[in-house]
Structure formats: structure tokens, C-alpha cells
Amino acid sequence: HKSLEIYAMDGDGGNLSRLTMSDKGDDYPAWSPDGTKIAFMSWRDGNGEVYVMDVDASNPIRLTHNENVGDGQPDWSANSNKIVFVSNRDGNLEIYVMNANGDDTVRLTHNIGVDYQPAWSPDGKKIAFVSQVDGNLEIHVMNSDGEGLVRITNNISADHQPSWSPDG
């Protein structure tokens, strides 16, 4: 069984480079909009935690420290100052935001159902995510402070992986 690792390559598939070497697994990479850092989830310390490293894989820094719970699925704000992520630290998958250095974590969602796969809008004002708040997995959008929740999809199928167009 091989663990998941993070690689980078040119847009044409050339210059493949392995960035992580964890025997426990690393995934959910997210390149910072300023192009200097990669946030990712790693299991290297026994449970899922959010890390940041330079794009050449140097200086990996663990940002979250929550034993026995999972923190992951990071995504960057447009100005590269904040990271939104998912955690079950309060007993249920919810969306949190923290400064890019790991300080000042704030819980944004407070739903009975799970919330995950956050995606920050290009202008930094909104966060799209998957939520089970209404009983079915649907795409929702909220303001970056957690206010103004709006359901975007509404059907009997499960909806996943929200992503923003470059113009929002």
C-alpha cells in the first residue's frame, strides 16, 4: 500500500517533481494565490493536520495541532493571508478559517450535517462548500465571515467539489 504524496509539474506534464515524502500520506494541496506556498493535509503526525510549505517543498510548517481529530482540505484566500479548512474538532465536519501562519482560528459553520470541500472565491468575499444542512449534500455559498448562507444547488443527487471560475 503506497501513501498519497504531492507532486508538481509543468502545465505540459514535464518536469515532474515529488514535493512530499511522508510514509503516512499527504493530499489536498492548494497553491497560494501569490505563488509562494502550498497548503496541504498530512497524516505524518498520526492524524490529519494542515501544513504549509514553500513551493520547492522546503520549510514545511504544521499549522493545526488537534490530536485525535482531522483537519484538512485547505484553500487560500485571494490575498494569501488566510486559509479555510475542514475539521471535526467539535464532533462534526465544519468549516474553519485561520491566518496563514495558523493563528486566530474561527469556526464559520455550525450545522448538524457535515460541511466540507471549501473553495474561496477569487475576490476573497465568499466561500463555496458542500453541506448537508438541509439533509442532502448540496453546494452552498457563504460570506468569508460565515454569514449570509445561501444554498446554490437543490436536487436529490449529492453535489460535490465546488470550484470558482477566475472571475467569480
Side-chain angles (χ1 to χ4, degrees), residues 28-32 37-41 50-53 74 76 83:
Y28 292 102
W31 213 298
S32 64
K37 304 278 185 193
I38 298 173
F40 62 102
M41 179 179 183
V50 176
Y51 285 75
V52 170
M53 65 181 164
W76 294 86
I83 298 173

Side-chain angles (χ1 to χ4, degrees), residues 83 103 112:
I83 298 173
D103 291 344
I112 295 171

Side-chain angles (χ1 to χ4, degrees), residues 93-150:
L93 284 178
E94 299 286 355
I95 309 290
Y96 293 77
V97 67
M98 64 182 161
N99 291 336
N101 66 1
D103 291 344
D104 298 327
T105 300
V106 176
R107 182 174 169 181
L108 297 180
T109 59
H110 301 272
N111 298 317
I112 295 171
V114 297
D115 300 313
Y116 60 97
Q117 296 176 342
W120 218 307
S121 67
D123 65 6
K125 295 179 180 177
K126 304 278 185 182
I127 298 170
F129 63 102
V130 176
S131 181
Q132 197 177 23
V133 66
D134 298 322
N136 189 34
L137 294 171
E138 303 285 355
I139 306 292
H140 290 72
V141 173
M142 64 182 163
N143 297 334
S144 61
D145 64 1
E147 298 297 319
L149 181 67
V150 176

Side-chain angles (χ1 to χ4, degrees), residues 78 120-124 163-168:
W120 218 307
S121 67
D123 65 6
S163 180
W164 295 87
S165 67
D167 66 359

